[in-house]
Amino acid sequence: MKQNIVILTGAGISAESGIKTFRDSNGLWENHAIEDVATPEGFARNPSLVYRFYNARRAQLHDKNVAPNLGHDALVKLEQSDGFDVAIITQNVDNLHERAGSKKVLHMHGELLSALCMYSNQRTYYKDDFDHTTECSCCQRKGGLRPDIVWFGEVPMYMDEIQSLIEQATHFVAIGTSGQVYPAAGFVNFAKQLGITTTEINLVPSDNNYLFDHTYVGPASEAVPQFVNDLINNKNN
Ligand code: OAD
């Protein structure tokens, strides 16, 4: 029987790809207070700053030094191995899982390469800069596009789908996430209630590490391949 592996990823899996985590510099994200760049209130106060901030994050994805690392690659290897169904729920807004080759990725906190039209609620793929002067392709109006990012105080995406994925899972894995932001931080509690095997992979165990059955400590580029090899070789399930 196939094993259903549901994997929650956070900023830690992309750290070695050159994208900074959120909580490693005194609560600042790339030198900005989170409430200034990751809340609807911050956007209402200073939209130009928020557009500039996400334009810079989006441009960073095109930097030649930013690329998937061995941690992302290992998850593709798992997906391509016989006997495993893999779904990735990511809190990351980068595109590194897709670039590595993962096929089933849910971006619960949105995506940098997407713009959301506030007039029509339609999403458009965007790889370049946009701001309040950009005409939106769905309704040809200016001023309606915003970064397609779930800001604090907003409801994460795909919650129904995520719930049903975890209900069907045989193994829940959290990689490189501090477990401080809900609802994602609570997925492990849900998995435990369902009696599913749980594994944490992190540079340092998170505060809710006690909820996990297994822990792999180390950089994602080493710990994720180790975990995947163990799983494929039946050492941890
Ligand atoms: P955090 O910045 O809170 O946590 C990063 C985690 O990655 C920590 O637990 C680190 O120990 C771990 N880490 C760092 N480097 C690592 C490495 N090389 N290998 C493995 N682990 C490593 O990031 P998230 O938990 O993803 O939300 O943050 C959750 C959400 O808070 C984000 O999605 C974002 C943020 O504010 C929104 O933007 C809505």
Side-chain angles (χ1 to χ4, degrees):
M1 208 178 76
K2 278 204 169 191
Q3 293 187 47
N4 281 337
I5 318 288
V6 173
I7 300 170
L8 172 70
T9 62
I13 196 164
S14 295
E16 292 161 90
S17 294
I19 297 179
K20 281 192 182 157
T21 60
F22 300 98
R23 292 184 175 73
D24 57 1
S25 43
N26 301 322
L28 297 182
W29 183 8
E30 296 276 359
N31 299 321
H32 289 278
I34 290 202
E35 54 273 21
D36 287 340
V37 294
T39 62
E41 294 79 8
F43 183 53
R45 243 186 343 258
N46 192 347
S48 302
L49 168 78
V50 175
Y51 283 119
R52 264 201 319 277
F53 178 80
Y54 287 99
N55 285 341
R57 306 278 71 73
R58 194 175 310 107
Q60 188 186 30
L61 296 184
H62 310 311
D63 185 314
K64 63 177 175 12
N65 296 317
V66 171
N69 65 57
L70 296 174
H72 299 99
D73 293 343
L75 298 184
V76 180
K77 176 178 166 183
L78 182 62
E79 183 184 298
Q80 292 175 350
S81 301
D82 284 343
F84 298 96
D85 261 339
V86 175
I88 297 175
I89 303 162
T90 188
Q91 299 167 88
N92 299 341
V93 293
D94 64 51
N95 61 347
L96 295 177
H97 285 302
E98 289 87 347
R99 279 172 61 186
S102 287
K103 296 281 180 252
K104 190 165 186 185
V105 185
L106 296 177
H107 284 269
M108 64 177 291
H109 288 168
E111 288 180 75
L112 283 170
L113 296 181
S114 175
L116 176 65
C117 173
M118 295 182 281
Y119 301 129
S120 70
N121 265 332
Q122 281 196 47
R123 303 192 142 84
T124 312
Y125 173 78
Y126 245 96
K127 70 176 183 22
D128 300 315
D129 290 0
F130 63 86
D131 61 20
H132 62 285
T133 65
T134 310
E135 199 174 274
C136 136
S137 60
C138 57
C139 51
Q140 278 74 49
R141 287 164 73 184
K142 290 181 181 171
L145 291 182
R146 59 161 271 187
D148 194 5
I149 305 292
V150 177
W151 288 324
F152 284 93
E154 297 182 324
V155 181
M157 293 152 79
Y158 309 112
M159 289 308 294
D160 290 346
E161 211 169 331
I162 290 170
Q163 177 173 340
S164 99
L165 279 172
I166 298 175
E167 280 168 355
Q168 291 161 43
T170 52
H171 195 147
F172 173 80
V173 187
I175 304 175
T177 177
S178 58
Q180 292 190 26
V181 175
Y182 285 83
F187 293 167
V188 62
N189 301 73
F190 184 42
K192 284 300 277 183
Q193 281 164 18
L194 296 168
I196 297 163
T197 305
T198 54
T199 297
E200 167 162 59
I201 305 173
N202 204 314
L203 197 55
V204 287
S206 64
D207 290 346
N208 54 11
N209 177 259
Y210 67 95
L211 290 165
F212 290 89
D213 303 317
H214 307 281
T215 306
Y216 286 71
V217 176
S221 64
E222 294 171 16
V224 181
Q226 181 66 58
F227 163 75
V228 166
N229 286 338
D230 288 351
L231 201 59
I232 291 172
N233 297 324
N234 254 324
K235 288 191 193 147
N236 174 4
N237 49 32

